[in-house]
Amino acid sequence: MKKYLLPLVLLFVVSIARAGELPPVHHAPDKEFHMSNIVLRFKFNLETRTVFGQASETITPFRPRLDSIHLNAVDMKINGVSLQGNPLNYRYDGKILTIFFPKPYGLNQKLTYVIDYSTKPSRGLFFILPDKGYPKRNPEIWSMSEPEDARYWFPSHDYCDDFTASETITTVPAGWTVISNGILRRVTSSKGGKEKTFDWVESKPHVVYLISIIAGKFNEFKDHLGKLAIDYYSDPSYGSEIKSNFKCMPDVVKFYSTITGQPFPWDKLALTTITNFTWGGEENVSAITLTDGTLHDANAEPQVSSVGLVAHETAHQWFGDLLTTRSWSNAWLNEGFATYFEALYREHAFGKREFQYEMYQNHEQVIAADHVERRPTVYNRYNDAVDLFGTYIYPRGASMLHMLRFFLGDTLFDKAIRTYVSEHKFHNVSTHDLAESITEATGYNLNWFFKEWLYKGGHPVFDVNYSYQPASRTVVLHVRQTQKVDSLTPVYRTPVDIRIVTPSSAETRRVWIDSLSNTYAFSVDDKPLMVNFDQGHWLLDEVNFPKSVDELSYQLKNDSDVVGRIWAADELERDHADSAESQLTQGLKDDPFWGVRQECAMLLGRYDNKEAEDALISATDDKDPRVQQRAITSLGEFKADGRIEDLLTKIFYDRSNYFVRAAAVTAFASVDSVKALHVIYTALDRDSYHEVLRTTGLRALMKVKPRMAHEIAVNYSKYGSPEDLRTAGVSTLITLGVDTAQTVSLLSKYASDPYIWIRAESLMGLGKLGNKSVIPLLEERAREESDGRLVAMARRAIRQIEMREK
């Protein structure tokens, strides 16, 4: 599951929503039985959005005399329960279905009971249908059960700690398609030809939250890797984008099969893009679900790419599906692995520099989150299991694997991963299982690593300095750990690589840090040109390492490590701004990696002079649109200049990249908002990926005509507008605050909107603009909201208002 395209604020909302409170501890529930097979039959009433279901479940008791079982089943109407055709007694309280058997069953006895039920699910299964606001919407029904939402659309032991085979038999209107797990056994038509029934069978075991159905009208495109069928499905309104966006898929599957030592574990692979998905993607076994927001044309690239999303979800077919976390406290074994293997595929497909940059960004996310709240990677305190699905299991989990790879080296790391997969496939796993597999494969006991990194929180902060002693030709390096040390964050023990470059040599030496203060001496042949701490940026850390202008300039130009060059550029501008401009200009012009050039362009935006302006103007023709976009954005920091205005106008009208054009609108509005009006109005009239141009035009209009922007935002936010425009409209209303009473009224209405991200924006806006009169509404949303992430946001909004009122 990936948080693709979610509002960035959600990365932190869950973490801080309950500041001052400690969520309850959760352990895996007791299991009364092992389920070996589940057969689910579905029919739907589209008008009432009702599911008519039958669940046939085969179990083997874990108890020697099992005479009753308890199943998760929320807000269902139970029409009957039977065993071999004979009705069973049951009790149902709206959340738990208790089934009573006529006699006790023993440890090795299999039994199959059948539950007939109906439900109007508030979670887990969603009806996306045409209505008055969206009469041309493609009809879709789709499921999203992770972490614990299967219970809303079929009864089961709804937890991640059991593996079962499954079958879905789904009846839909003729002309619809059903995509589900496994192999399509048969499709049958009703006598009148008005309905079709699709029978999908997944014979290999998996956890219940990975059972999936998607029903609707879809185009299908076929691909393959050898004999493995890889099928893509999308709304018929999309053209060939899905084929071009997903063309990497055969290579992704081949790469993961090689690196894990385990061929693709399922009998087929389908990828389906759907409307209004609540996540970026979901790794349902052999049937991946993706947001249709990932589909794009060439004018959105390279800023938008589907490679990361499909690589992430495909990695889950091994890590999350073939091996699944035993409890949600160990969810990093799903998400951290998928995030890291996504980065590994990027290294395979695009090279080491792209991989280094990806991991740098992961590290930066974790460090930013740690400054808000420190939390262990393995963590069992939460209100809703979805609370855990954030920074501490995605990028932090990836950082854990990255450091393990550094400690072990590539050969042993690959061996450890293959051992882990081979030993635990088709089973649940815990962090302890991973540690044991590493020990078995490599002989290393890494309990110290798991203790300080997985079961503790925070990260090391290193203060580093060195001196060169000419008489002895020695570099003396001093390292101090300055992070807050307490019961949560330890004094770290870790190896680290030191890179020393002199005029005639370059050498990397590994040392161990094992206390708050360490000193190391290195013999060298001459005065160093560059001394790097944590060469390769392997560690999840912060480093304070004062260096001279000459040292930083040398590093920016010569460091082989992409992250080292970015760090040098940042340090030059921060500590030596008066001397840094020429070095940043050179980096912007000559660095071979777009990420470094992008960073130099950003930093040059802080220099208000002709030299910086000239460099940035030149960079608007950089070969990479991401650098162009950043250079244009930085030009917006300069004073009104006819040359800049003419350039930005030309870029907006002549370029094809959506984000480059949007940057031109924003920069022009910053330089001279009145003169920019013709560009702003044009942007408001242009189609683009995710409404980037209209959204940018609206935000630019806020500066020069706030009342007009307010009126447009009100119109954009109305139900029936494109969802991206609606979200932009609500966000603009919150930012402007032109008519607070009207805005709060609209936000109160939209807090229960059908579209999840309108509800999210509205809840955040009420927290920012509302007063105590909206607290009852927010309390109601906290009770009634169907998504745990938004429950946390409603509670956060209440706390914001209460703090303001005080």
Side-chain angles (χ1 to χ4, degrees), residues 714-732:
V714 170
N715 190 51
Y716 278 179
S717 69
K718 292 178 181 177
Y719 190 77
S721 296
E723 279 87 355
D724 293 306
L725 278 187
R726 295 194 68 209
T727 306
V730 173
S731 176
T732 300

Side-chain angles (χ1 to χ4, degrees), residues 115-359:
I115 305 164
D116 289 288
Y117 67 97
S118 63
T119 183
K120 296 181 179 180
S122 60
R123 299 169 70 162
L125 190 78
F126 299 85
F127 292 78
I128 310 298
L129 303 173
D131 58 20
K132 290 182 179 179
Y134 301 93
K136 296 182 179 180
R137 175 185 280 162
N138 185 50
E140 296 176 1
I141 301 171
W142 48 260
S143 64
M144 173 60 197
S145 296
E146 188 179 7
E148 296 179 357
D149 287 353
R151 65 191 67 190
Y152 290 87
W153 61 292
F154 63 89
S156 68
H157 172 74
D158 186 17
Y159 197 70
C160 57
D161 60 351
D162 199 11
F163 274 61
T164 180
S166 66
E167 181 177 1
T168 61
I169 304 169
T170 308
T171 300
V172 295
W176 283 33
T177 296
V178 176
I179 304 102
S180 188
N181 316 98
I183 297 298
L184 183 60
R185 174 183 286 173
R186 65 176 68 90
V187 180
T188 57
S189 297
S190 63
K191 288 184 178 180
K194 293 183 177 180
E195 293 180 326
K196 282 188 175 181
T197 299
F198 292 75
D199 185 354
W200 288 89
V201 179
E202 180 50 78
S203 59
K204 297 178 180 179
H206 54 84
V207 295
V208 294
Y209 74 75
L210 295 173
I211 295 173
S212 166
I213 61 167
I214 298 175
K217 297 179 180 180
F218 296 98
N219 282 340
E220 180 182 5
F221 300 90
K222 291 186 175 295
D223 204 344
H224 67 92
L225 175 64
K227 294 182 179 180
L228 175 69
I230 305 176
D231 300 326
Y232 313 132
Y233 299 86
S234 67
D235 182 317
S237 65
Y238 291 101
S240 60
E241 292 100 324
I242 196 165
K243 289 184 69 176
S244 60
N245 289 178
F246 297 170
K247 63 184 178 183
C248 64
M249 278 305 303
D251 188 54
V252 171
V253 175
K254 182 179 179 181
F255 172 71
Y256 290 150
S257 297
T258 301
I259 197 171
T260 63
Q262 168 68 49
F264 186 75
W266 315 101
D267 293 325
K268 74 99 173 38
L269 180 58
L271 293 89
T272 307
T273 60
I274 60 171
T275 303
N276 291 356
F277 196 34
T278 53
W279 293 83
E282 174 61 15
E283 62 270 20
N284 303 306
V285 163
S286 76
I288 292 170
T289 305
L290 302 168
T291 171
D292 62 0
T294 191
L295 298 177
H296 60 277
D297 62 32
N299 293 328
E301 296 176 346
Q303 291 94 330
V304 178
S305 171
S306 295
V307 172
L309 178 61
V310 299
H312 183 100
E313 299 306 335
T314 305
H316 272 311
Q317 298 298 303
W318 285 264
F319 304 106
D321 294 9
L322 183 63
L323 297 80
T324 307
T325 180
R326 188 178 303 278
S327 66
W328 295 122
S329 60
N330 288 274
W332 82 278
L333 294 171
N334 292 5
E335 300 301 344
F337 268 78
T339 304
Y340 192 59
F341 275 70
E342 171 192 340
L344 289 177
Y345 179 74
R346 190 172 295 278
E347 181 178 28
H348 159 78
F350 305 116
K352 183 178 180 180
R353 294 183 300 191
E354 289 284 352
F355 170 76
Q356 288 178 326
Y357 193 61
E358 178 98 348
M359 289 310 302

Side-chain angles (χ1 to χ4, degrees), residues 399-460:
S399 295
M400 301 301 102
L401 293 171
H402 193 50
M403 290 187 289
L404 283 169
R405 181 184 174 192
F406 169 59
F407 299 160
L408 295 171
D410 285 357
T411 300
L412 290 183
F413 178 78
D414 291 349
K415 183 182 179 185
I417 293 299
R418 292 179 180 184
T419 300
Y420 174 61
V421 171
S422 175
E423 290 184 339
H424 299 289
K425 59 186 178 182
F426 298 113
H427 285 89
N428 289 113
V429 286
S430 67
T431 301
H432 177 73
D433 293 324
L434 174 62
E436 289 294 304
S437 291
I438 291 173
T439 299
E440 181 177 332
T442 70
Y444 284 111
N445 184 337
L446 295 181
N447 285 338
W448 61 269
F449 173 86
F450 285 85
K451 181 179 179 180
E452 70 181 29
W453 283 109
L454 277 302
Y455 300 109
K456 299 284 187 178
H459 60 270

Side-chain angles (χ1 to χ4, degrees), residues 73 79 175 263 294 352 370 513 526 722 762:
N79 298 315
T294 191
K352 183 178 180 180
D370 276 349
I513 294 172
D526 204 344
S762 299

Side-chain angles (χ1 to χ4, degrees), residues 738-756:
V738 166
D739 186 337
T740 302
Q742 181 193 27
T743 299
V744 169
S745 176
L746 287 172
L747 296 178
S748 299
K749 173 185 174 183
Y750 294 148
S752 55
D753 193 86
Y755 185 50
I756 183 173

